[in-house]
Amino acid sequence: MVDKGLYDVNLNFLYLRPMLSKKTKYGLKALTYLASQKDKAPVQISEIAKCENISQKFLESILLSLRKSGFLGSKKGKGGGYYLIKDPNEVLMTDVMRVLEGPISMVPCVSLNFYEKCADCRDEATCSVNKLMLKVRDANLEVYRNNTLADLII
Amino acid sequence: MVDKGLYDVNLNFLYLRPMLSKKTKYGLKALTYLASQKDKAPVQISEIAKCENISQKFLESILLSLRKSGFLGSKKGKGGGYYLIKDPNEVLMTDVMRVLEGPISMVPCVSLNFYEKCADCRDEATCSVNKLMLKVRDANLEVYRNNTLADLII
DNA sequence: TATTATCCTATCAATTTAATAGAGTAAACA
DNA sequence: TGTTTACTCTATTAAATTGATAGGATAATA
């Protein structure tokens, strides 16, 4: 059953605000593409870009950052490309999301890895936003911790 | 136990990207402030702004949108202000978040209320992003459905 | 040595956010 | 009736971010 919104208004966006960045979206697709390969042979950026409908130049920078953060290996020259370093079963979504999208928490004051006090908040202990976002963080963490790259295939 | 990030990099942000907008943050604080009042007498924007450390002009526009979406009532002139229309127990976070922050889903292709096909996706059924974001949506929905404004107080 | 494909830096337009300014409107009250 | 109060509305703004593109440097292969 659909939980229909009670109020109209908010005509100002019709999904003008996709909260997941294209960077993350493309990164996830690329990782999945590599995880779906039969062997571990390097795959060229151009192949991934074409098959997944991604701007090649943009994808270049994303794969580069995935390599620098330890998810991918690369090989230059002919026959080169990118390949997964670990088994898809061992690639946790928590780690992938933190590298691609950034902190999992929606506010710094509930972040495990990137904690910061909110500059404008008087008291964290009685802050309603803190209270709600803590629950949201835990719910998201639960999902990301229980999903690996292997779970995204097919 | 803290789930420490395995990889460094991503030096480029130290929470430069708080995913929760200030609009939502301020809106939640204002709603909580009103819900904490003893009686249902109107509270002035200026009082909320001062007590919650919020830019008054910005708060004006937020409260206005909360009124237009049916959460608040208002009264002009002396002794005027904003007041909650419903009992805090009946104000679901799903509804509040949709008005303040927008769709709960991180991608349009998994949105209940704002569904849209992703322009760049070939096949939703086999899309890894769709698969993951569906789980994330459900987890978030679970939190927002099980929390009312009353749950945010103290 | 020529070719291939990753690596790196720089730039760009478009969008969004958060904040501010200022005038308009309606209610209360003396 | 007229003044004060406080919400209502429109417009503008700076700053930041996103997504995309260009061009050349580097390294590996044949």
Side-chain angles (χ1 to χ4, degrees), chain B residues 1-83:
Chain B
M1 202 59 208
V2 169
D3 157 18
K4 189 169 173 298
L6 295 172
Y7 317 105
D8 40 7
V9 192
N10 260 42
L11 311 155
N12 37 335
F13 67 84
L14 300 179
Y15 246 103
L16 294 178
R17 189 141 108 72
M19 296 181 66
L20 191 77
S21 67
K22 296 252 179 187
K23 180 183 177 188
T24 303
K25 189 178 189 182
Y26 296 162
L28 286 173
K29 286 191 175 194
L31 286 171
T32 311
Y33 189 89
L34 291 174
S36 306
Q37 299 294 306
K38 280 188 286 284
D39 48 19
K40 301 237 170 178
V43 180
Q44 293 171 32
I45 298 176
S46 60
E47 179 185 332
I48 306 177
K50 190 187 290 180
C51 291
E52 295 293 341
N53 226 16
I54 302 171
S55 145
Q56 175 162 345
K57 273 295 189 179
F58 191 23
L59 184 58
E60 275 184 23
S61 68
I62 297 167
L63 295 183
L64 198 56
S65 92
L66 285 172
R67 195 214 66 188
K68 289 185 179 175
S69 33
F71 294 100
L72 301 179
S74 68
K75 210 181 151 208
K76 285 186 177 178
K78 184 160 194 176
Y82 281 100
Y83 52 91

